[in-house]
């Protein structure tokens, strides 16, 4: 009986710890939220084409295109309009210059010779 209880307790603790770690919801009080239009205007000043702004997990979720035509999905805190997450789907010839924090891949030699 003790091994089953210990296993159940361990499983319950692991599940609750995992959900606390994965919490990416916004918890701003609704009374403090800025209007969606304020977010739309802010993004359009950055030359984004906003297709949709909706509420998801208490955050504003934005879908659209950046000025280079790359597909964007971003989450913003509704009270401060600070970005919480950003996903960019780059086109094959997508311009990444608007995203300087992206890691770059090291250049690989074109031939099969070892470079010393």
């Amino acid at each position: 009986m003790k091994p089953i209880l210990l296993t159940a307790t361990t499983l319950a603790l692991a599940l609750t710890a995992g959900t606390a770690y994965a919490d990416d919801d916004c918890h701003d009080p609704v009374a403090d939220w800025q209007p969606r239009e304020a977010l739309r205007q802010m993004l359009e000043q950055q030359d984004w084409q906003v297709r949709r702004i909706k509420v998801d997990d208490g955050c504003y979720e934005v879908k659209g295109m950046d000025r280079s035509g790359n597909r964007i999905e971003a989450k913003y805190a509704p009270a401060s309009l600070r970005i919480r997450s950003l996903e960019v789907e780059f086109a094959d010839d997508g311009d990444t210059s608007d995203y300087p924090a992206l890691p770059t891949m090291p250049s690989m030699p074109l031939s099969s010779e070892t470079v010393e």
Side-chain angles (χ1 to χ4, degrees):
M1 185 72 167
K2 284 186 180 182
I4 293 173
L5 180 60
L6 180 60
T7 303
T9 304
T10 304
L11 181 60
L13 287 173
L15 290 175
T16 57
T19 56
Y21 181 77
D23 184 22
D24 61 352
D25 298 351
C26 296
H27 301 286
D28 299 338
V30 175
D32 296 338
W33 286 20
Q34 295 190 43
R36 294 179 199 202
E37 191 57 33
L39 179 58
R40 178 181 298 278
Q41 289 175 359
M42 181 180 82
L43 296 174
E44 287 175 350
Q45 288 176 354
Q46 298 173 19
D47 294 328
W48 283 22
Q49 296 175 4
V50 177
R51 290 201 175 136
R52 181 178 73 185
I53 300 175
K54 71 174 191 171
V55 176
D56 183 36
D57 295 327
C59 301
Y60 282 147
E61 181 182 271
V62 178
K63 291 190 178 186
M65 306 275 272
D66 68 7
R67 68 174 133 216
S68 300
N70 300 310
R71 205 171 287 192
I72 299 285
E73 185 174 317
K75 281 192 173 184
Y76 288 84
S80 64
L81 300 183
R82 294 185 70 182
I83 193 162
R84 296 187 42 94
S85 67
L86 173 67
E87 294 178 26
V88 181
E89 185 178 320
F90 293 100
D92 290 338
D93 59 346
D95 179 13
T96 62
S97 63
D98 288 337
Y99 308 96
L102 290 176
T104 57
M105 297 297 292
S107 299
M108 299 298 293
L110 297 177
S111 68
S112 59
E113 298 174 19
T114 303
V115 177
E116 295 182 30

